[in-house]
Amino acid sequence: MYTKIDEGCHLGLCGCSYVTDFDSHNYGTQWLENHKDSTMTNEDLWCNRFIGQASFRNFSFGGSSNYAIYQQIKKALEYNCDYILVFWSNTNRFNAFWKDGHPSVVPKSKNEQDYRKKYFSPYFQKFFSYLLVMDAARLLDLHSVKYKFFLWKGQGFPWPEAKDYPNTIIFHPAQLDESLHSNTSPNHLNEKGQAVVNEELNLHL
């Protein structure tokens, strides 16, 4: 199963691990070593099964927060992508801003627990993701770039307001049934799951 995209476009993908392939996945060499017997290759993954585009870049990164995905969008614009598909992540993922001013996903440590107790707010995280989506739409419109946003209710976005976001499609690979998942694929989906995503995208693109 392939997904037909606009002929001659410069396609960019942004998102978390559900949008990655073996090259963009960032769990490290140990993960790749543990799953070297996987029967899937990059060519089997839905994110590499688009046809029609003149060029393609995947900016997605495993574990990305919505702030990180927002930065991916800006990177896609730097590379002159003129059609960008954005798969937003769960609103509970957040970035801590330490003294050096550089954003980084909070490591699993005592510092994370301390940070959560002092600063974490589920309401703020949902609202922050809402602002990121709105500003991403503004930014893409400003650059006259065609785009689609993908999200679903289980990610914690304000609902039903999220359904009214610009160019939003209520679908995300993360919502697929457990029977379509696999722990030997960088994007968590088995062969059937890959086909389901491409089939779903064909309905919307």
Side-chain angles (χ1 to χ4, degrees):
M1 174 68 70
Y2 288 85
T3 295
K4 182 70 171 66
I5 204 72
D6 289 10
E7 196 72 32
C9 72
H10 299 283
L11 179 64
L13 290 186
C14 302
C16 62
S17 56
Y18 277 95
V19 193
T20 59
D21 62 15
F22 286 100
D23 295 327
S24 57
H25 200 270
N26 68 311
Y27 284 169
T29 55
Q30 188 60 53
W31 187 93
L32 294 173
E33 178 66 21
N34 292 343
H35 299 89
K36 62 184 178 182
D37 295 330
S38 174
T39 58
M40 280 190 280
T41 66
N42 271 342
E43 289 69 31
D44 299 316
L45 305 179
W46 71 264
C47 61
N48 292 324
R49 298 179 70 81
F50 289 92
I51 55 174
Q53 68 275 10
S55 66
F56 169 71
R57 286 183 179 272
N58 191 338
F59 301 92
S60 61
F61 201 76
S64 289
S65 65
N66 285 325
Y67 177 78
I69 293 172
Y70 177 80
Q71 296 301 319
Q72 294 172 19
I73 295 170
K74 295 173 74 172
K75 181 64 69 174
L77 291 173
E78 290 178 16
Y79 278 87
N80 297 314
C81 295
D82 56 17
Y83 195 173
I84 302 176
L85 306 182
V86 183
F87 294 79
W88 294 100
S89 188
N90 197 295
T91 58
N92 286 331
R93 285 181 169 171
F94 66 97
N95 293 79
F97 295 86
W98 305 116
K99 289 188 294 184
D100 60 5
H102 296 291
S104 61
V105 176
V106 180
K108 290 187 177 301
S109 66
K110 292 182 179 179
N111 287 340
E112 178 187 358
Q113 298 304 318
D114 183 60
Y115 185 94
R116 286 178 181 271
K117 289 177 182 178
K118 291 181 178 178
Y119 307 111
F120 183 75
S121 163
Y123 171 79
F124 173 77
Q125 287 305 124
K126 292 181 180 181
F127 184 62
F128 184 49
S129 287
Y130 165 79
L131 294 179
L132 288 171
V133 173
M134 291 295 97
D135 195 63
R138 178 199 63 82
L139 189 64
L140 293 166
D141 287 337
L142 186 65
H143 286 80
S144 299
V145 168
K146 186 174 181 178
Y147 64 94
K148 296 293 183 182
F149 291 160
F150 295 84
L151 54 85
W152 68 295
K153 191 173 183 178
Q155 292 168 306
F157 282 90
W159 211 266
E161 293 84 355
K163 293 189 293 185
D164 298 324
Y165 291 171
N167 293 315
T168 293
I169 294 168
I170 308 303
F171 170 76
H172 195 284
Q175 76 185 75
L176 296 185
D177 187 79
E178 191 64 31
S179 65
L180 300 176
H181 280 68
S182 168
N183 61 7
T184 63
S185 165
N187 65 14
H188 313 300
L189 302 176
N190 59 27
E191 288 89 342
K192 188 175 181 180
Q194 311 293 336
V196 169
V197 175
N198 284 123
E199 183 177 8
E200 187 72 24
L201 294 181
N202 277 324
L203 299 175
H204 302 291
L205 302 179

